[in-house]
Structure formats: C-alpha cells, structure tokens
Amino acid sequence: MYPPDLPRMGIVELSAPIRGREELRRLPVIRGELNTLTDPPASANAHPPGLGIALAPPVLLLGLRGSFVFVLLLSVVLVYVSVAAILHELFPPLPFVELCAVMGLVFGWYPVGTTFRSGQPSIVLFALITASWLMLRRNRPWIAGGAIGLATCLHAFPALLVLYFAIRSRRAFVSAVGTITLLSVAAAAVTIQHTFNQWLNTVDMIA
C-alpha cells in the first residue's frame, strides 16, 4: 500500500517543493486530495518530530480535509475549556451574558481566528500551558511538568517554561525533562534515522 522506500525518506526529501509533492502523491489516503491543491507542500517545517507523529493518525484516517476539520474542532473546544478554566480560577462566577461576551471577544480576536483558519498547533500549546499553570497552582507539579514536556515536544518555545520550572519547582522541572526525554526517545524509535538532526538543520535553515 505504501511506497517501500517511504521509511527511508526524511524531511529534506518530503519537503522539497517539487519532489515532495510527487512523493506525497504516492500516499494512498491523500493522493486524491492533492489533485485539488494549487501549491506544493511547504518547503520547510520547523516543528519537532512529535507534532508530525501526532498528526499522522488523523491524516491516515481522515485525509487532509478531515484532519483540518478535526484540528479545527479540537481547537475550538480547547479554547473554550482553557478560557473557562482561567476565568474560574481567577474570578468569581460570571453571569451567563458576561461569559458569552468574554467568549465572543476571545473567539472574535483576529489571532485566534487566524489560528483556526491555518490549523496551527498554537491553541493546543495554549491549552497545555494553561493546564500546567492550573496544576502548579494546585500543587501538582508532576502533572504541570508533564504538560509542559508534552508541549515542548510539539513546539520548541514552551521549553522556556522548563527553565522557569528549574527556578520555581524542582519536581515540575524533573517531570518536564523526563517527559521530553521519553517522548523524544519514542519519536526517534518510530521515525527515520537522523530525524532530529534533520529537524535542527531545518530550523537553522529558516531561522
């Protein structure tokens, strides 16, 4: 079903604008959908391998459009739950009308709408960071560190919060580092060789 040389392909091969389109065309799930795309795949992807692994099952099961709808719906739910959790933690219960007004402002904010339309993982990171903040406030540092560790494996910038944990909470720091290590080892085990080297080279290329 899949090309026999697919496991040996790396970011460089799949991200090349021309060759990447031809290689992706060979994949059975998204072959038909590529016929409607006017642009080739992005020439570079600076996200860690963990994000690609997380997106692989939706793409395999739902295709490109189905995966976009899945990420969109997940993002909508996470925005609502995260904002509601922050309001509940910091403020007294809001009347229904005021809650609707706050949610309307959040969902109508241009950066949020742009994230919805582009299918970026920013809202997932926001939800994980919010969960970590809540767990740290409730004296659950192991869960707080795990949430930031997972976020770091999806995007690099939450790693800055690991440094914060090193100062604020040693247990959260250990949990975050342990989570990053375990997930990185797992990612290296299920992907092609030199996955992380290719990711770092890509980051250096577009930085």
Side-chain angles (χ1 to χ4, degrees):
M1 180 177 292
Y2 289 94
D5 57 338
L6 182 61
R8 298 192 297 273
M9 297 177 189
I11 294 174
V12 175
E13 289 82 359
L14 290 176
S15 65
I18 302 301
R19 183 178 177 185
R21 183 180 176 87
E22 295 303 319
E23 299 295 355
L24 289 174
R25 195 185 298 277
R26 299 161 61 192
L27 299 179
V29 176
I30 61 176
R31 184 186 300 121
E33 297 182 2
L34 279 172
N35 294 331
T36 64
L37 298 180
T38 57
D39 297 322
S43 59
N45 179 18
H47 296 91
L51 182 62
I53 294 173
L55 289 174
V59 171
L60 177 64
L61 297 174
L62 305 174
L64 292 178
R65 291 184 178 82
S67 298
F68 173 79
V69 173
F70 171 78
V71 172
L72 174 62
L73 295 177
L74 177 63
S75 298
V76 170
V77 171
L78 290 178
V79 166
Y80 180 85
V81 171
S82 299
V83 173
I86 293 172
L87 293 175
H88 180 269
E89 187 72 15
L90 298 179
F91 304 100
L94 295 176
F96 178 75
V97 174
E98 294 182 10
L99 178 62
C100 290
V102 171
M103 290 298 177
L105 289 173
V106 171
F107 280 93
W109 191 27
Y110 179 78
V112 175
T114 300
T115 303
F116 285 154
R117 290 193 297 272
S118 60
Q120 292 294 313
S122 307
I123 291 174
V124 177
L125 301 179
F126 166 64
L128 288 171
I129 293 171
T130 301
S132 177
W133 170 71
L134 288 172
M135 292 300 99
L136 202 61
R137 284 175 60 91
R138 298 178 183 181
N139 197 28
R140 297 180 181 178
W142 296 107
I143 301 177
I148 292 301
L150 176 58
T152 302
C153 291
L154 301 178
H155 205 293
F157 81 84
L160 295 173
L161 294 174
V162 178
L163 301 178
Y164 168 76
F165 284 157
I167 301 172
R168 171 72 185 274
S169 174
R170 183 173 300 177
R171 286 179 293 177
F173 173 75
V174 171
S175 176
V177 172
T179 301
I180 294 170
T181 302
L182 290 176
L183 293 179
S184 297
V185 170
V190 301
T191 56
I192 62 172
Q193 294 181 351
H194 311 301
T195 294
F196 285 92
N197 287 338
Q198 291 190 8
W199 168 53
L200 293 175
N201 290 337
T202 303
V203 171
D204 181 66
M205 177 181 66
I206 67 175

